Amino acid sequence: AVLGIQQQPFAGVRLLITAGPTHEALDPVRFIGNRSSGKMGYALAQVLTELGAQVILVSGPTALPAPPLARLVRVESAAEMHAAVMERVGECDIFIAAAAVADYRPELQASRKLKKHSGNIDLRLVPNPDILAEVAARNPAPFTLGFAAETEALEANARAKLNNKGLDMIAANLVGGAEGGFDRDDNALLLLWGDGQRELPLMPKHQAAREIARALMQRYVTST
Ligand code: CTP
Ligand code: CA
């Protein structure tokens, strides 16, 4: 009985979380993708369901098992992820964009396997919709937490994304180095919001998810 409310601070809160990479098809057997493992988004889904939240996890292709308490919606491309999110975002209180959405897709998708020729191939890429920016621009919008994957100028780049996309919070991490990020089990993060920030040192992604959930709860409660 001493457990109860304290342990379920997210009871009754509906979350929509994106996770993983997206795959942008070139033809039926090839795609353009990225090194995201999906671990951060899945860890958040796991931790938040344990804290009582109702979680829908919209996931690009990953090798991870479904978090037992979340509803998993599997997608491949950014366009599919966009559609899956827009279909459900009206019924969520908090939107977390942990996916590494491809910024571009091939303009043309061959319906048959591309054959090799001698010489070069020119590949034209066209921009994908920014799912997070579109969610944050809705009226009313859910509370939004984004991620920022950066190889440099972490704080400045992340704060620019927070402001430009009109987010409530952003979790920034350095990628492409030894510090954590893509395709790893641990991560060092900088959490930023309108008038504050908090540094999370290198720690396992499950622990980082717990810390993010704690900060998220504080900011979410103040915003409502
Ligand atoms: N994001 C999204 N849809 C996209 C691109 C990004 O929802 N088409 C979300 C990501 O899930 C992340 C945030 O936007 O939460 C920032 O993604 P990131 O790739 O770091 O930034 P971009 O805004 O895409 O800018 P850039 O890649 O040029 O740094
Ligand atoms: Ca991007």
Side-chain angles (χ1 to χ4, degrees):
V2 191
L3 311 173
I5 283 181
Q6 279 295 78
Q7 296 239 318
Q8 301 262 291
F10 282 92
V13 181
R14 301 162 303 174
L15 273 102
L16 188 57
I17 302 177
T18 65
T22 64
H23 286 182
E24 309 300 315
L26 283 160
D27 71 14
V29 294
R30 303 185 181 96
F31 60 83
I32 297 175
N34 63 66
R35 296 183 193 282
S36 168
S37 64
K39 282 173 187 157
M40 193 69 242
Y42 277 60
L44 278 166
Q46 176 69 31
V47 162
L48 287 159
T49 54
E50 285 167 7
L51 294 173
Q54 287 173 43
V55 175
I56 301 177
L57 180 61
V58 177
S59 174
T62 73
L64 302 173
L69 301 172
R71 249 175 65 204
L72 181 63
V73 178
R74 291 184 194 276
V75 298
E76 291 270 334
S77 64
E80 286 170 17
M81 184 173 279
H82 177 264
V85 165
M86 293 313 154
E87 218 172 278
R88 296 167 176 88
V89 71
E91 279 123 64
C92 84
D93 305 302
I94 300 176
F95 178 68
I96 302 180
V101 185
D103 292 323
Y104 292 90
R105 66 177 182 278
E107 183 177 40
L108 300 172
Q109 249 186 59
S111 57
R112 287 183 286 182
K113 189 184 161 202
L114 296 168
K115 300 305 285 181
K116 88 181 151 193
H117 309 277
S118 55
N120 301 336
I121 288 188
D122 286 321
L123 195 56
R124 189 177 169 84
L125 302 175
V126 296
N128 277 326
D130 189 318
I131 301 170
L132 174 59
E134 194 174 321
V135 168
R138 287 170 62 94
N139 190 11
F143 185 97
T144 50
L145 166 61
F147 277 75
E150 308 293 347
T151 55
E152 62 199 321
L154 185 65
E155 187 180 337
N157 280 329
R159 208 164 265 291
K161 281 176 192 173
L162 179 77
N163 294 333
N164 295 342
K165 300 196 194 198
L167 309 180
D168 293 296
M169 246 183 130
I170 196 156
N173 65 311
L174 282 172
V175 293
E179 279 275 306
F182 277 31
D183 206 9
R184 288 182 54 134
D185 291 327
D186 51 17
N187 209 356
L189 291 167
L190 180 63
L191 285 177
L192 301 166
W193 55 90
D195 56 0
Q197 67 182 65
R198 211 178 119 208
E199 229 172 289
L200 302 181
L202 191 64
M203 61 178 85
K205 282 183 177 172
H206 266 95
Q207 200 183 326
R210 261 171 247 288
E211 295 297 328
I212 292 170
R214 191 206 306 266
L216 176 63
M217 188 78 244
Q218 284 169 2
R219 303 307 312 157
Y220 175 64
V221 166
T222 350
S223 81
T224 50

